[in-house]
Amino acid sequence: MSKAAELANLIGNINAGGGGVNRNLIINGAMNVAQRGTSFSFTDSTYCLDRFVIGKSNSSGAATITQDSSVPDGFANSLKLDVTGDDTSLAVNHIDQILHKIEAQNLQQLAFGTSSAKNFTLSFYVKSNKTGNYSVNIGQQDNSYKQANLLYTINSANTWERKSLTFTGDTSGVINDDNGSGFEIAWILASGTTYTSGSNSASFSSYANANYAANHGVNIFDSTDNTWFLTGVQLEIGQNPTEFEHEPVERTLKKCERYYYLKGKGAATYLGNGGYTASSEVDLVINFPTTMRSAPSLEQVSGTNYYNAISPDGTDTLDDFVIHQTTIYSILIYNNSDASGSAGYYAALNIANASGYIAFKSEL
C-alpha cells in the first residue's frame, strides 16, 4: 500500500471515530511477548504467546505452537502452528482455533448498543502452505453472546499476506463497561460441519453453531507437513486497515502483565524479602507492576526443594506456596508445610530449581 493510500485510510478512520495513537485494541499483536515460554502443545484452553489462547474440541490432531522468527518485513516474531499429528476425518463437532480476548471496558469507544455504533476493521498477516478459505469469528460476549463471521483467503502457499476484515457496529448489542470479556476473536484452523454449514455476515446476530465457522474450507490438520503463521494483528475503529501500530516492547509487556505476571523463573531468581511469622511459616508479599484485571490465582511449579528462604538461620528449603490474600494490587503468599526458621526473622526468598517459576494469572 502506498503512503498516500495509507494516509487516506487513517484519515477515513479518524473521521469514523478511530485513528491516531493507541488505535490498536489488540494486545501483543506482533507476538513479541511470551512470558510462559516459546513452545507449547496444542491443548485446549492453553495460553501460549501472551494474550493468545488455544481452542480445541473433539479433535484428535496434534500440533506445536511456537514463537517463530519467520515474519513479514518490519516484524521480529510470529505465532507458528506446526502440525505434528494429523486428523483427516473431522468429527461434525470438531473445532481447532487460535483465540484472542479483549476486555470489555477497552471496547467502549465502539459505542455498541447505541445509534453511534462504529464499524471496525481486523487486519493481520498470515502464512500457510494450505491455501483456501479460512473463517474468523468474533463473539460479543455480553448479552447472551452475539457473533459476526467473515472469511479470508490464503492465495499463495508459504507467502506472507496481509488480510483485513471489516465488521459492522452493533446498535443493539451493549458491551458492558466492566473487566469481563467483550470480544473473543477466533481464527479457525479446522472445523466440522456443525459449525461450517451456515452463512457469513459482517453484522452481529444471535449465536448459531452453523455460523461460527461458516464456509471454512481448510483442514490445517490433514497433514503433518502443514504450518500456519500469524502476526501483525490489529483491530481498529473504521472501515480501513492502517499500518500496524508498533509500540515499545516494555509497553506491550505492561499490558500483558494485567492478565499474566511472571514474577520469577529459573534457579537463583529473587522473589522478594519476607519473614517468619512463626517458626513454621514464612510469608512473602509481592506487589504487582500494574493493576491486574482481577485478583489473580497463583501459578507455580512445585516439588521437593523448589524454593529457598534465606535468613540469619541459614537457607530453608521449601516445596511450594499457597495464597493467604490476593487483590488486584498485591498478593500475600506463604509456606507453612515445610518452613523452619525463627519467628520474627526476615527471609530473602528465591527460586532454587531451574524448572521453578512463580506467576500470577487473571486471564479473561
Side-chain angles (χ1 to χ4, degrees):
M1 182 182 295
S2 69
K3 288 299 181 183
E6 185 71 37
L7 180 59
N9 280 354
L10 182 58
I11 292 172
N13 286 358
I14 291 173
N15 291 335
V21 178
N22 298 320
R23 65 184 180 275
N24 189 5
L25 298 175
I26 300 293
I27 298 174
N28 198 32
M31 309 298 174
N32 291 329
V33 178
Q35 293 186 81
R36 293 171 174 87
T38 56
S39 182
F40 307 85
S41 175
F42 196 82
T43 304
D44 185 52
S45 300
T46 297
Y47 275 86
C48 45
L49 309 190
D50 276 57
R51 307 299 305 121
F52 288 84
V53 61
I54 296 163
K56 177 179 180 179
S57 181
N58 300 301
S59 168
S60 61
T64 300
I65 298 286
T66 55
Q67 185 185 49
D68 198 82
S69 59
S70 175
V71 290
D73 291 345
F75 291 84
N77 296 291
S78 65
L79 181 153
K80 175 186 179 182
L81 178 141
D82 184 11
V83 177
T84 57
D86 63 22
D87 185 354
T88 58
S89 181
L90 303 183
V92 294
N93 56 351
H94 175 120
I95 196 77
D96 290 304
Q97 56 194 336
I98 296 293
L99 303 146
H100 183 95
K101 301 178 183 182
I102 304 178
E103 193 171 338
Q105 57 193 351
N106 289 337
L107 294 170
Q108 295 306 299
Q109 60 266 52
L110 293 178
F112 271 37
T114 75
S115 59
S116 301
K118 296 177 174 64
N119 297 345
F120 63 92
T121 297
L122 175 70
S123 59
F124 51 90
Y125 291 88
V126 66
K127 180 177 77 167
S128 177
N129 64 299
K130 291 283 289 183
T131 60
N133 291 331
Y134 291 74
S135 178
V136 172
N137 188 85
I138 298 185
Q140 180 193 337
Q141 304 294 89
D142 293 323
N143 301 299
S144 301
Y145 196 100
K146 299 177 78 173
Q147 65 182 13
N149 181 287
L150 290 175
L151 294 175
Y152 69 92
T153 302
I154 293 182
N155 299 293
S156 301
N158 302 312
T159 303
W160 281 106
E161 300 173 349
R162 195 182 190 203
K163 307 300 176 181
S164 66
L165 306 171
T166 298
F167 294 84
T168 304
D170 188 3
T171 58
S172 63
V174 174
I175 299 174
N176 296 337
D177 185 21
D178 60 23
N179 67 346
S181 180
F183 277 175
E184 181 181 82
I185 304 167
W187 287 265
I188 312 301
L189 300 168
S191 179
T193 55
T194 295
Y195 304 109
T196 61
S197 60
S199 58
N200 303 105
S201 175
S203 300
F204 285 82
S205 60
S206 298
Y207 177 83
N209 278 340
N211 296 336
Y212 186 83
N215 296 302
H216 180 86
V218 176
N219 175 12
I220 201 71
F221 283 89
D222 67 7
S223 170
T224 55
D225 293 330
N226 294 342
T227 57
W228 181 86
F229 297 78
L230 179 70
T231 195
V233 183
Q234 182 155 285
L235 190 150
E236 58 191 310
I237 292 174
Q239 70 277 13
N240 304 309
T242 66
E243 184 176 356
F244 181 80
E245 184 181 17
H246 290 278
E247 64 182 5
V249 67
E250 67 270 16
R251 186 180 303 163
T252 305
L253 175 61
K254 188 72 69 176
K255 291 178 181 178
C256 293
E257 287 176 337
R258 177 170 173 80
Y259 306 93
Y260 186 86
Y261 170 47
L262 179 65
K263 173 58 180 177
K265 184 176 184 179
T269 301
Y270 173 71
L271 297 174
N273 287 332
Y276 285 89
T277 58
S279 62
S280 60
E281 179 177 324
V282 63
D283 291 20
L284 174 64
V285 173
I286 293 174
N287 295 309
F288 304 132
T290 190
T291 303
M292 301 201 75
R293 184 189 67 85
S294 61
S297 60
L298 169 64
E299 188 175 287
Q300 64 184 322
V301 175
S302 59
T304 304
N305 301 338
Y306 262 67
Y307 307 96
N308 288 329
I310 304 168
S311 76
D313 286 334
T315 299
D316 187 16
T317 56
L318 313 170
D319 292 348
D320 55 18
F321 294 94
V322 295
I323 294 175
H324 176 67
Q325 187 176 39
T326 177
T327 74
I328 60 174
Y329 309 107
S330 62
I331 193 167
L332 172 59
I333 59 176
Y334 70 97
N335 175 293
N336 66 355
S337 58
D338 48 17
S340 179
S342 297
Y345 274 17
Y346 84 91
L349 288 101
N350 67 18
I351 298 172
N353 189 294
S355 300
Y357 75 94
I358 284 183
F360 304 98
K361 180 171 65 175
S362 60
E363 296 284 3
L364 289 163

